Amino acid sequence: MLRPLRVYSQQVEMLDYPYPGSSLQLSRSALRQEHSKPQLRSITLHHLMRMDHNPFSQEIKVFDNKIKRAFQKEEAELTDDEVDQYKALLRKAREFELKRHDIILCTCTASSSPGLTSAVSARQILIDECAMATEPQSLIPLVSNKPEKVVLLGDDKQLRPIIKNKRAGNLGMSRSLFERYCTMHREWVIMLDTQYRMHEEICQFPSEAYYENRLITAVKRPNSVLLIDKKPKTIVFGHINGEEISLVVSTKNGNENSKANVAEQNKVVEIAQSLVMKARVEEESIVILSPYNAQVSEIKNCLKKKKLSKITVTTITKSQGSEWRYVIISTVRSLPSQQIEKDADRGWRSKHLGFLGDPNQINVGITRAKEGLCIIGNQELLDCSPAWNKLLRHYKAKSSVTTAEHISVAERAASRFHPV
């Protein structure tokens, strides 16, 4: 029987069990982190260390209680000698747990902690979502251990590492170790080619554009309730010539300049509302995606006013790994027709489309849907992007491109509705 153990970083551990002076080691970003997941408590290292089976648990809990009382000003703070004793107990308790478990679950960065590398000899290392990690991040567990076998899991056609420094990105930091191996050692690559999420019509374009037409659909989905001029469509692109506006939005990293589009906001909310009210689709089965935080924030506010808060609204980046029955995408970027250059160069596209034209991000957005996919945007502007142009040509061939006002939702009787 496998015995997994979830190991968090010292920063996360100290959010659950702080001790005097520990806050000095926490960065602002660490303080904004969530605590360890409650549903994983039974396999989480810093919780197991305090359970009765651990020979050091009772002494640790005595210290925990003293620290808690000290924070509440009910008792004096630990002396330096007591802090050293507490740390020594934690080290011994960690080592005890690490040696009795077979599988260690942790981030690449946490894998290099001295307590982990001294107690565990990792013979096999699996790095999940490796295509999203920078190359140095992926190398951390490999150089910190001496593995006999390494398995890299990921998709280099979806989200790449996020590099905020443009110069670093241009110099190659945005290329993951996963992508490097996929390029240099094709014979090492094993592709999992059978997908169980998307309706075959949704799957067709990403299969052709990103996966050499190798994806196999092994699931049969119900017909979509999306309509163009009352004709059912699984995939839909609706052109809308909205106005792009700049807004300041608050994020976990502070305030940032972002973009929104009111016309697109109104249309995607209308479609989502119709899915719930007319087609009887559960709110939890619908997502509205946008590349821009400002648009996400505005759409959330609009849905809240309509009492549809259970509909998920998030950025394309945050949606990776998730799936919904219906996906609605607001692309946001827009320009008046007379300002759109037909033979736009890279600089012009970078200014007016930005990361919206990133093929990997497009692939993430369009592969979240099970039954129906609806994209709302400025067709004329998106046509300037090679990646979007390819998608639009495919959708046109399927008679799935229209103006936004021609998109509607089929009405479905409540008695016939069976959630998937």
Side-chain angles (χ1 to χ4, degrees):
M1 182 178 177
L2 296 177
R3 292 167 296 177
L5 180 68
R6 176 66 170 101
V7 178
Y8 286 94
S9 67
Q10 187 181 13
Q11 285 82 0
V12 173
E13 181 177 336
M14 287 190 294
L15 291 174
D16 285 337
Y17 297 104
Y19 56 82
S22 63
S23 60
L24 299 176
Q25 303 176 42
L26 296 177
S27 65
R28 289 176 63 192
S29 60
L31 287 168
R32 285 191 293 264
Q33 291 184 55
E34 293 183 0
H35 287 59
S36 55
K37 296 184 183 299
Q39 61 267 39
L40 298 180
R41 189 182 182 93
S42 63
I43 64 166
T44 296
L45 173 60
H46 60 268
H47 292 309
L48 286 172
M49 288 159 49
R50 290 162 169 85
M51 292 184 182
D52 290 343
H53 69 270
N54 192 296
F56 306 97
S57 63
Q58 297 305 318
E59 291 177 271
I60 289 174
K61 285 189 284 189
V62 169
F63 273 111
D64 286 342
N65 188 51
K66 291 182 71 174
I67 293 167
K68 182 179 179 181
R69 289 176 62 83
F71 277 125
Q72 295 171 346
K73 308 297 184 184
E74 297 173 359
E75 191 172 319
E77 289 191 359
L78 299 187
T79 65
D80 290 344
D81 286 343
E82 287 177 318
V83 171
D84 289 341
Q85 290 175 40
Y86 183 50
K87 288 182 177 179
L89 283 169
L90 294 177
R91 282 194 297 271
K92 292 175 183 177
R94 284 192 196 99
E95 185 176 356
F96 176 83
E97 294 298 340
L98 288 166
K99 288 183 175 179
R100 62 189 291 271
H101 288 85
D102 317 288
I103 301 172
I104 307 300
L105 308 171
C106 65
T107 63
C108 288
T109 304
S111 70
S112 66
S113 65
L116 188 57
T117 55
S118 62
V120 174
S121 177
R123 296 174 56 195
Q124 299 183 1
I125 293 178
L126 285 77
I127 305 179
D128 194 18
E129 295 290 5
C130 189
M132 291 179 64
T134 64
E135 196 162 19
Q137 280 179 312
S138 297
L139 289 172
I140 290 172
L142 307 186
V143 300
S144 300
N145 299 271
K146 296 179 180 178
E148 299 170 9
K149 184 180 290 185
V150 176
V151 179
L152 307 181
L153 304 170
D155 185 349
D156 61 319
K157 303 300 182 184
Q158 298 212 354
L159 292 183
R160 305 180 79 195
I162 297 173
I163 306 298
K164 294 185 178 180
N165 185 294
K166 191 173 182 180
R167 179 174 172 78
N170 291 338
L171 289 173
M173 187 64 82
S174 60
R175 190 183 196 196
S176 64
L177 183 66
F178 185 93
E179 184 180 353
R180 186 182 296 278
Y181 276 135
C182 284
T183 304
M184 294 173 61
H185 300 285
R186 296 292 298 174
E187 71 278 8
W188 294 0
V189 178
I190 299 173
M191 178 178 172
L192 304 180
D193 57 11
T194 304
Q195 67 90 14
Y196 301 88
R197 173 186 298 158
M198 298 172 279
H199 189 288
E200 59 184 352
E201 287 188 35
I202 299 173
C203 180
Q204 187 177 354
F205 174 74
S207 180
E208 292 174 358
Y210 296 95
Y211 303 106
E212 301 172 341
N213 210 19
R214 292 169 60 189
L215 289 185
I216 299 166
T217 298
V219 64
K220 187 169 180 61
R221 293 292 179 195
N223 292 331
S224 169
V225 295
L226 297 172
L227 304 174
I228 294 180
D229 292 330
K230 298 184 180 180
K231 295 178 182 177
K233 293 289 178 182
T234 304
I235 53 175
V236 176
F237 180 92
H239 167 71
I240 192 165
N241 196 11
E243 181 184 358
E244 172 190 315
I245 58 174
S246 294
L247 294 175
V248 176
V249 63
S250 177
T251 71
K252 68 176 184 179
N253 297 318
N255 292 337
E256 70 171 35
N257 292 316
S258 187
K259 300 185 184 299
N261 186 313
V262 176
E264 288 190 19
Q265 169 197 317
N266 292 337
K267 187 60 188 180
V268 298
V269 168
E270 175 197 313
I271 294 169
Q273 187 174 22
S274 295
L275 285 170
V276 174
M277 301 301 181
K278 296 179 66 177
R280 311 286 182 171
V281 178
E282 292 179 318
E283 291 180 43
E284 296 88 345
S285 297
I286 303 167
V287 69
I288 301 176
L289 302 177
S290 176
Y292 295 96
N293 280 311
Q295 186 76 336
V296 167
S297 179
E298 294 297 302
I299 292 170
K300 281 183 177 179
N301 290 337
C302 191
L303 288 172
K304 188 175 181 180
K305 292 175 184 176
K306 294 179 179 292
K307 298 183 179 179
L308 295 170
S309 298
K310 292 180 182 178
I311 294 174
T312 302
V313 188
T314 189
T315 60
I316 292 173
T317 302
K318 292 177 182 175
S319 75
Q320 179 153 321
S322 300
E323 61 185 25
W324 293 267
R325 285 178 65 197
Y326 285 87
V327 172
I328 308 165
I329 300 176
S330 169
T331 58
V332 177
R333 303 303 295 264
S334 190
L335 276 177
S337 294
Q338 62 271 22
Q339 295 181 26
I340 297 175
E341 296 186 9
K342 301 302 179 185
D343 299 313
D345 59 20
R346 182 178 293 182
W348 189 94
R349 292 198 301 270
S350 177
K351 179 180 179 181
H352 296 289
L353 286 163
F355 56 81
L356 177 61
D358 175 19
N360 293 51
Q361 188 159 162
I362 295 169
N363 188 28
V364 172
I366 64 177
T367 54
R368 302 303 97 203
K370 296 179 181 180
E371 291 178 32
L373 170 63
C374 178
I375 304 171
I376 302 296
N378 186 321
Q379 179 186 348
E380 193 175 359
L381 177 60
L382 293 176
D383 254 331
C384 299
S385 159
W388 279 106
N389 177 269
K390 188 184 293 186
L391 179 144
L392 287 165
R393 282 190 279 112
H394 176 89
Y395 278 38
K396 285 176 187 174
K398 300 290 183 181
S399 301
S400 292
V401 176
T402 185
T403 52
E405 62 264 26
H406 289 151
I407 299 172
S408 59
V409 173
E411 194 155 359
R412 184 174 288 175
S415 58
R416 293 172 54 201
F417 172 60
H418 300 284
V420 174

